[in-house]
Amino acid sequence: MCGIACYVGKNAGKNCFEALEKLEYRGYDSAGIAGLENGEICVYKRRGRVNAIKDYALKMQSGVAIAHTRWATHGGANEQNAHPHLSFDRSIALVHNGIIENFQTLRTELLMKGIGLSSETDTEVALNLIASESGTLKEKLKKARNKLVGSYAFVLLDKDGTIVAARNKSPLYLAKGQDGIMLSSDVLCFFSLYDSFYPLSENDIVEIKNGELRVLNENLQEKEISFKPLSKSEVEISLLGYSYFMEKEIHEIPKVISKIESHYKSGEEFEKIKDLFSGIDSIAIVGCGTAYHAALYGAKVLENKLGIRADAFVASELKYANKVLHNTLGIFVSQSGETADTLGCVNIFKERGFKTIALTNNTHSTLARLCDQTLPVCAGVEIAVASTKAYVAQILVFTFLAYYLSGEKRDILKGLSSKAKKLLSIDKRIVKDIKSAKQVFFIGREKDSVTALESALKLKEITYKSAEGYSAGELKHGTLALIEEGTPVVVFASVSCLMQKTLSSAEEARARGAKIILVAPKTQKDTKCDYFLSLPRVDFEE
């Protein structure tokens, strides 16, 4: 994670700050900005949220600025490690997304050359490697790239005002208008400023010098580029009266369901990918975090409906697992479409000649460009760190796809949006009990076990509280010993054929003093529990 913004033109500081506000979901440990003043690079950075650099950014007079919001990877969340970093000779500043894997080796080499380092970051190592090379800034970068192992999106500012940028595995986008030129790690920053954008290729080097833009190939020769139109139909990045983006996005779920229903109802999108499912032996669904949980759900519904083996894989493990896969269709799930481990798996599948599908919320993303076909999840921009509406959208698209390919070409989401609206409130006593608990458990069977995993992840992400999700049948294998008097156990019981088995697991927890929060259809309201959340019946429920 982390977010990059660069602007060359009028109000550079203001435009960079506003871009960082849109990117803060990518990291909020620290923020910083750099510009020019009297021929020198001035860097201003602070620990904490982007708003900490607002006053400085808005007062900047520089016609060029680079900015960054950070999620700490190498080194703690402090000003020393915050970006931008300044080179040992103060001639170059750098903002960086990604991870330089061989930075320790390079760090040792720089120290042996007498080049001091003031931070714990891999970014400062990369910067000083670049600064120690000879030639113009673009030549320095070209030479240094051959020595770097890992992923990066770099934007460099020279004290003469030149901007040079490049990427390897991490996304970077370019946009140009009458008032200025912008680089960013997310096209979200371009909305309201530009109508088109250019996604940098792996070997591109961007140079902006004296206000003139050039895109160069790996041999530093200028190349022709084509800007892509930027769709603005899904953009809404204001809070609209809500206290937090996560709260707003949860309340947008009914609207997202309606969008998915409208987008996929005709079946045209599914017809485009139907042939990719022909003649395959298996399906591999790949993701990280929340996207992996969506993959687990998708694997269950696809295997059940199509009768084809479907497995879910954690991208960071599959990359290095040397799995023996034959004639496998890969479906890659990512809200942003820029998850590095997931993109690495796509490349492995393509090298083996396998068919690939992207299931993403960002149709402009690297994932969408790499895969043979794309299924958009229609969730709109998701700002909150903890994905909510995009996760719901992902599992619904998987469900819609499974039913369509199985021959049940009906509108399975009909009426679901209105039913979802009824689930947006919760008993405040439940909130109080969970807030005061040391740990919380979530259990369920079959697809409900996936809901348990995702629910636990959500609670961990937003509260930093210990929370675990389990298949209900596994609760008795050791985990019951952790349940104390008053421990909240959330029980998902929507799978009718497994209802009684799930409720038996809930009773085991209740016997040990757990507070049971039962989430189930209305028919189960008489079951012993402390709280009951009633689920409506839906058309595709089994």
Side-chain angles (χ1 to χ4, degrees):
M1 298 176 73
C2 297
I4 284 176
C6 165
Y7 195 87
V8 179
K10 297 178 182 178
N11 301 314
K14 176 177 179 291
N15 284 322
C16 274
F17 172 75
E18 290 178 352
L20 287 195
E21 285 188 306
K22 299 173 185 177
L23 293 172
E24 192 165 29
Y25 77 102
R26 298 291 298 172
Y28 41 82
D29 288 334
S30 60
I33 191 166
L36 297 178
E37 187 175 321
N38 300 321
E40 298 292 331
I41 299 175
C42 296
V43 176
Y44 185 86
K45 47 192 181 180
R46 289 291 182 268
R47 181 180 179 179
R49 307 299 290 261
V50 167
N51 206 51
I53 66 168
K54 180 177 181 179
D55 291 343
Y56 182 90
L58 297 185
K59 292 176 183 177
M60 283 179 65
Q61 299 299 310
S62 175
V64 57
I66 61 173
H68 190 270
T69 181
R70 181 174 187 246
W71 180 262
T73 54
H74 294 82
N78 54 44
E79 290 182 20
Q80 184 180 22
N81 293 322
H83 300 210
H85 287 280
L86 199 57
S87 63
F88 67 93
D89 58 0
R90 304 187 66 82
S91 66
I92 307 169
L94 171 66
V95 289
H96 164 221
N97 283 359
I99 294 176
I100 306 302
E101 295 175 9
N102 63 333
F103 89 102
Q104 289 285 15
T105 300
L106 295 172
R107 182 185 183 90
T108 300
E109 292 175 1
L110 289 171
L111 292 172
M112 289 178 66
K113 291 178 180 179
I115 296 175
L117 299 166
S118 59
S119 79
E120 304 167 90
T121 67
D122 56 338
T123 301
E124 190 188 15
V125 171
L127 168 61
N128 283 303
L129 174 67
I130 294 167
S132 65
E133 300 288 352
S134 60
T136 62
L137 184 55
K138 61 178 178 287
E139 290 169 341
K140 289 173 183 280
L141 176 58
K142 179 178 184 290
K143 293 174 183 177
R145 288 179 79 172
N146 296 326
K147 302 175 184 178
L148 296 172
V149 177
S151 62
Y152 56 80
F154 287 153
V155 180
L156 297 128
L157 168 63
D158 192 283
K159 68 178 182 179
D160 69 1
T162 299
I163 292 287
V164 169
R167 64 171 288 258
N168 179 52
K169 301 176 184 176
S170 295
L172 197 59
Y173 302 93
L174 170 70
K176 182 180 180 182
Q178 289 184 341
D179 293 331
I181 302 167
M182 179 174 267
L183 286 155
S184 178
S185 53
D186 195 321
V187 294
L188 178 63
C189 297
F190 301 151
F191 294 118
S192 78
L193 293 173
Y194 303 100
D195 296 317
S196 59
F197 73 102
Y198 171 71
L200 269 67
S201 298
E202 293 283 305
N203 295 319
D204 287 345
I205 292 180
V206 171
E207 181 183 54
I208 308 170
K209 190 171 185 177
N210 300 321
E212 296 294 321
L213 168 67
R214 298 170 70 215
V215 179
L216 313 172
N217 62 22
E218 57 189 323
N219 297 316
L220 302 184
Q221 298 169 329
E222 190 166 3
K223 61 181 281 189
E224 293 288 331
I225 63 171
S226 176
F227 284 80
K228 301 175 180 290
L230 188 62
S231 171
K232 302 182 181 181
S233 60
E234 297 295 319
V235 178
E236 178 52 73
I237 57 173
S238 62
L239 282 167
L240 296 179
Y242 291 97
S243 300
Y244 305 98
F245 277 110
M246 185 175 175
E247 179 189 14
K248 170 179 174 282
E249 288 158 11
I250 288 171
H251 281 81
E252 287 175 338
I253 288 173
K255 183 170 67 174
V256 171
I257 294 171
S258 295
K259 287 181 180 179
I260 295 170
E261 181 184 12
S262 175
H263 186 83
Y264 287 103
K265 187 175 181 179
S266 70
E268 290 181 14
E269 289 277 2
F270 296 143
E271 283 295 324
K272 293 178 185 177
I273 69 167
K274 193 173 181 180
D275 288 346
L276 297 181
F277 287 82
S278 299
I280 60 171
D281 295 331
S282 63
I283 302 169
I285 311 179
V286 184
C288 298
T290 287
Y292 170 64
H293 294 157
L296 285 169
Y297 193 99
K300 289 179 181 294
V301 295
L302 285 172
E303 184 167 290
N304 179 268
K305 284 294 177 183
L306 305 184
I308 302 173
R309 178 178 174 177
D311 297 294
F313 295 95
V314 176
S316 58
E317 291 294 317
L318 184 60
K319 272 175 65 177
Y320 308 107
N322 195 27
K323 279 280 183 181
V324 179
L325 300 170
H326 298 288
N327 197 23
T328 300
L329 169 66
I331 303 178
F332 300 88
V333 188
S334 171
Q335 190 281 127
S336 68
E338 303 294 352
T339 309
D341 288 324
T342 303
L343 295 176
C345 291
V346 177
N347 290 326
I348 292 171
F349 273 58
K350 293 183 77 67
E351 288 169 4
R352 296 182 183 183
F354 295 161
K355 303 167 188 176
T356 55
I357 297 172
L359 198 146
T360 181
N361 197 34
N362 183 358
T363 56
H364 302 301
S365 64
T366 304
L367 181 63
R369 296 198 306 273
L370 281 178
C371 290
D372 298 318
Q373 294 288 345
T374 298
L375 290 174
V377 301
C378 309
V381 172
E382 190 167 60
I383 300 296
V385 173
S387 175
T388 52
K389 63 176 181 174
Y391 174 73
V392 172
Q394 287 162 357
I395 64 174
L396 288 179
V397 171
F398 270 125
T399 304
F400 218 149
L401 172 65
Y403 271 78
Y404 187 89
L405 294 178
S406 69
E408 299 184 48
K409 300 177 182 180
R410 55 195 172 95
D411 187 2
I412 62 169
L413 301 187
K414 187 176 181 180
L416 185 59
S417 177
S418 60
K419 291 177 181 178
K421 290 178 183 178
K422 299 175 182 178
L423 301 175
L424 293 176
S425 61
I426 191 168
D427 190 328
K428 291 184 179 179
R429 293 175 299 169
I430 299 176
V431 176
K432 183 178 179 181
D433 283 346
I434 289 179
K435 186 176 179 180
S436 61
K438 291 191 298 184
Q439 55 188 352
V440 182
F441 297 98
F442 298 82
I443 63 172
R445 290 176 185 264
E446 220 273 328
K447 292 192 289 291
D448 286 340
S449 68
V450 180
T451 305
L453 290 171
E454 177 61 12
S455 300
L457 176 61
K458 285 290 157 283
L459 192 63
K460 281 183 277 195
E461 285 180 311
I462 64 174
T463 68
Y464 298 165
K465 187 182 292 290
S466 175
E468 299 298 333
Y470 290 95
S471 173
E474 288 298 296
L475 193 66
K476 60 180 175 286
H477 295 297
T479 305
L480 272 174
L482 299 177
I483 292 177
E484 302 173 349
E485 188 71 31
T487 300
V489 176
V490 182
V491 182
F492 298 104
S494 70
V495 183
S496 56
C497 64
L498 297 173
M499 184 71 69
Q500 292 308 313
K501 290 184 178 296
T502 303
L503 296 179
S504 293
S505 297
E507 189 57 36
E508 287 180 313
R510 189 169 180 272
R512 285 159 178 78
K515 281 193 174 182
I516 302 299
I517 303 164
L518 179 62
V519 184
K522 293 179 180 179
T523 53
Q524 302 303 314
K525 63 182 178 181
D526 295 329
T527 302
K528 292 180 181 179
C529 60
D530 296 276
Y531 302 104
F532 177 72
L533 301 180
S534 176
L535 287 178
R537 285 289 179 185
V538 295
D539 192 36
F540 56 85
E541 197 169 61
E542 298 175 7

